[in-house]
């Protein structure tokens, strides 16, 4: 019985095979075959030399800033191609990390000062409550727009730097010529300073998020429990608890008034910056 089943399987498999037939060769068939076999495969495009240099620099910086972890890119961001080339993408990522680190360092120090109860006093529009988040909520919306537009203006100065754009290799990522003049310090000393700034910025980002987490969910960061004032508001509503950027009917007039005032201020500031540059 087993033999019959085996033979039936063999014959069934044979039925699916193409029969062997003799194909007569002609000039046409031989020429087609030669074209199919002789067609060269397309070679992969060579990596631009700038990409290799940018990646090597990134790996060297990663090793210097954390010799234990070294270069670590688990989601392969360097090959994400946010821009036209890998070197431009790396420049953009490096610049973004440095800027976020600087903002986080300022935020960390500011949070420590404000949460400690240090403030400008009861005079003027400055709030005096302990929670830094609640202090922001208590500010008039006009002052909030001043802060946001000032940050946007600083970003504009950075992107329009006279030395050129950081993604094109015209200047080092993180360098802003308006605030960082050329120096006679050695390359090694500058590299050490860059490594310290990167590590301090990374720690500040972690620390600031720890403050925010403890303020939002008391007890979520045990080391900060009882040391950070609780915040019951909404971090994602920067102007008020029920604020919506699309609620033009309720906030349109106030926003336009703030923008008009801010535009005049920024115009004067633009003239000052132009004179400096």
């Amino acid at each position: 019985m087993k033999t019959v089943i085996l033979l039936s399987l063999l014959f069934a498999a044979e039925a699916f095979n193409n029969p062997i037939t003799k194909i007569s060769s002609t000039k046409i068939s031989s020429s087609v075959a030669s074209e199919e076999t002789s067609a060269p495969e397309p070679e992969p495009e060579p990596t631009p030399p700038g990409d290799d240099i940018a990646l090597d620099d990134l790996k060297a910086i990663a090793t210097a800033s954390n010799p234990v972890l070294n270069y670590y890119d688990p989601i392969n961001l360097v090959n994400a191609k946010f821009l036209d080339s890998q070197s431009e993408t790396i420049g953009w990522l490096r610049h973004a990390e440095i800027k976020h680190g600087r903002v986080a360092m300022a935020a960390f120090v500011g949070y420590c000062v404000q949460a400690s109860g240090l403030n400008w006093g009861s005079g003027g529009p400055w709030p005096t409550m302990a929670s830094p988040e609640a202090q922001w909520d208590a500010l008039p919306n006009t002052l909030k727009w001043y802060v946001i537009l000032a940050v946007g203006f600083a970003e504009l100065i950075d992107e329009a730097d006279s030395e050129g754009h950081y993604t094109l290799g015209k200047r080092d990522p993180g360098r802003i010529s308006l605030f960082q003049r050329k120096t006679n310090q050695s390359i090694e000393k500058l590299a050490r300073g860059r490594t310290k700034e990167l590590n301090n910025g990374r720690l500040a980002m972690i620390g600031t998020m720890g403050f925010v987490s403890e303020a939002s969910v008391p007890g979520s960061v045990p080391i900060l429990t009882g040391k950070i004032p609780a915040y019951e508001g909404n971090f994602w509503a920067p102007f008020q608890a029920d604020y919506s950027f699309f609620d033009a009917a309720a906030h349109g007039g106030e926003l336009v008034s703030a923008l008009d005032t801010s535009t005049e201020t920024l115009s004067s500031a633009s003239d000052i910056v132009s004179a400096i540059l």
Side-chain angles (χ1 to χ4, degrees):
M1 184 66 179
K2 292 181 180 179
T3 306
V4 174
I5 295 174
L6 179 61
L7 291 174
S8 63
L9 290 175
L10 289 175
F11 286 121
E14 186 67 19
F16 289 95
N17 292 334
N18 292 327
I20 300 175
T21 56
K22 184 176 181 180
I23 302 175
S24 58
S25 60
T26 62
K27 289 185 177 181
I28 296 178
S29 62
S30 62
S31 62
V32 172
S34 63
E35 287 179 3
E36 292 178 352
T37 56
S38 63
E41 296 182 358
E43 297 181 358
E45 296 182 1
T47 303
D51 289 356
D52 291 335
I53 296 174
L55 185 57
D56 290 342
D57 288 345
L58 180 64
K59 291 181 177 179
I61 293 171
T63 301
S65 60
N66 193 333
V68 177
L69 188 61
N70 291 318
Y71 176 71
Y72 184 64
D73 184 13
I75 58 177
N76 201 24
L77 274 178
V78 295
N79 292 318
K81 292 292 183 67
F82 297 131
L83 301 174
D84 293 336
S85 65
Q86 187 185 54
S87 61
E88 293 180 18
T89 299
I90 292 175
W92 187 85
L93 291 171
R94 286 182 55 193
H95 195 77
E97 181 185 18
I98 293 173
K99 286 197 299 185
H100 282 77
R102 289 170 179 168
V103 171
M105 285 187 279
F108 184 89
V109 175
Y111 202 106
C112 291
V113 171
Q114 292 175 263
S116 300
L118 299 177
N119 52 61
W120 295 101
S122 58
W126 315 111
T128 58
M129 63 278 297
S131 170
E133 298 86 358
Q135 293 175 21
W136 169 265
D137 289 343
L139 284 175
N141 281 357
T142 302
L143 290 180
K144 295 177 182 178
W145 278 112
Y146 275 133
V147 173
I148 293 174
L149 292 175
V151 172
F153 184 63
E155 185 74 8
L156 180 62
I157 293 176
D158 179 27
E159 294 296 321
D161 196 294
S162 58
E163 288 189 5
H165 207 266
Y166 50 86
T167 60
L168 302 178
K170 303 295 184 181
R171 58 186 168 103
D172 291 335
R175 174 176 170 76
I176 304 175
S177 60
L178 180 61
F179 306 109
Q180 295 171 288
R181 299 298 182 184
K182 292 184 178 180
T183 177
N184 294 325
Q185 294 182 359
S186 65
I187 297 177
E188 292 77 12
K189 189 172 183 178
L190 291 174
R192 288 195 298 271
R194 176 185 58 196
T195 300
K196 293 177 182 178
E197 183 182 28
L198 279 173
N199 286 335
N200 289 338
R202 291 166 182 170
L203 287 174
M205 284 187 269
I206 296 173
T208 303
M209 290 307 300
F211 289 155
V212 171
S213 299
E214 177 62 29
S216 302
V217 185
S220 60
V221 184
I223 195 174
L224 297 176
T225 301
K227 301 177 182 178
I228 299 298
Y231 176 62
E232 298 179 355
N234 183 1
F235 279 99
W236 310 113
F239 288 85
Q240 60 188 41
D242 58 348
Y243 180 83
S244 171
F245 281 104
F246 304 101
D247 191 5
H251 303 280
E254 183 180 4
L255 175 59
V256 170
S257 177
L259 288 176
D260 289 341
T261 306
S262 302
T263 301
E264 295 177 1
T265 304
L266 291 177
S267 179
S268 301
S270 177
D271 295 338
I272 297 173
V273 172
S274 300
I276 294 174
L277 297 176

